[in-house]
Amino acid sequence: MSARARHEVWFEYRLSQDPASNKRFLLVFRDLSDRRERARLEKERRLALERISDVVMEVQVDEFTPEAARACRITKTSPSFADIFGKPHNGDAGFLLSLCSSPGALTDLLLSAPTAPPARGELCFNHPVEEKTLRVTAAVLGANVLLVVCSDLTE
């Protein structure tokens, strides 16, 4: 408990014997509050992704050119990917575009993300059972990384 702030603070400690004297010990306390808060937020984010039916993807584009966009790779995705697309994702170059009925339109949408954030469009995707119409939103997440969210609009 912090005396000044009057709130609980999580600590870890390490007790070690002084190598110079068997009668002395060194006790070190470390505040774990920030680490615990980061872990809590990460757990909340992970649980939220598991509950949503939309597909959330992190997509790597080597550069924002048509050729590089066609070779984009999915690096991370939410668990709902297989439900929406009918197959598990893989990190192969061009895999995302291979799922789209009109890969040129998806390429254009991905390329417009850096200049008109967030880029949005409704595109048709191939599915083993039925063609699906998805609302695709893409926004720049970092250097050459896009956050892509696909929402199923199929009735």
Side-chain angles (χ1 to χ4, degrees):
M1 169 96 64
S2 170
R4 190 172 46 134
R6 299 280 184 208
H7 66 276
E8 284 188 12
V9 177
W10 286 88
F11 288 97
E12 70 179 358
Y13 67 91
R14 181 178 298 176
L15 179 64
S16 56
Q17 191 170 14
D18 186 342
S21 170
N22 289 340
K23 296 180 181 182
R24 290 192 311 195
F25 293 89
L26 178 63
L27 181 59
V28 177
F29 286 93
R30 183 176 301 153
D31 184 347
L32 296 178
S33 301
D34 290 342
R35 187 186 321 167
R36 289 179 59 88
E37 180 64 11
R38 283 192 307 272
R40 185 189 67 76
L41 292 172
E42 174 62 24
K43 182 178 179 183
E44 278 183 11
R45 184 192 67 78
R46 195 173 53 252
L47 289 173
L49 284 177
E50 289 174 4
R51 285 191 291 251
I52 63 172
S53 59
D54 294 350
V55 175
V56 180
M57 294 178 266
E58 190 174 283
V59 176
Q60 179 76 39
V61 180
D62 291 335
E63 57 183 313
F64 288 99
T65 64
E67 297 78 26
R70 285 191 289 273
C72 69
R73 290 177 309 284
I74 301 169
T75 55
K76 295 178 186 171
T77 184
S78 58
S80 55
F81 187 94
D83 295 336
I84 297 287
F85 293 106
K87 59 177 84 173
H89 94 283
N90 68 47
D92 293 347
F95 177 70
L96 178 60
L97 271 70
S98 73
L99 301 172
C100 189
S101 300
S102 54
L106 181 55
T107 300
D108 292 343
L109 188 139
L110 295 176
L111 289 174
S112 67
T115 57
R120 287 192 177 94
E122 291 182 10
L123 303 170
C124 291
F125 283 79
N126 303 315
H127 185 278
V129 177
E130 63 181 333
E131 186 171 80
K132 292 193 173 249
T133 301
L134 303 179
R135 177 180 299 118
V136 180
T137 304
V140 175
L141 188 61
N144 298 342
V145 178
L146 297 174
L147 178 68
V148 178
V149 179
C150 298
S151 305
D152 192 352
L153 302 178
T154 308
E155 298 276 330

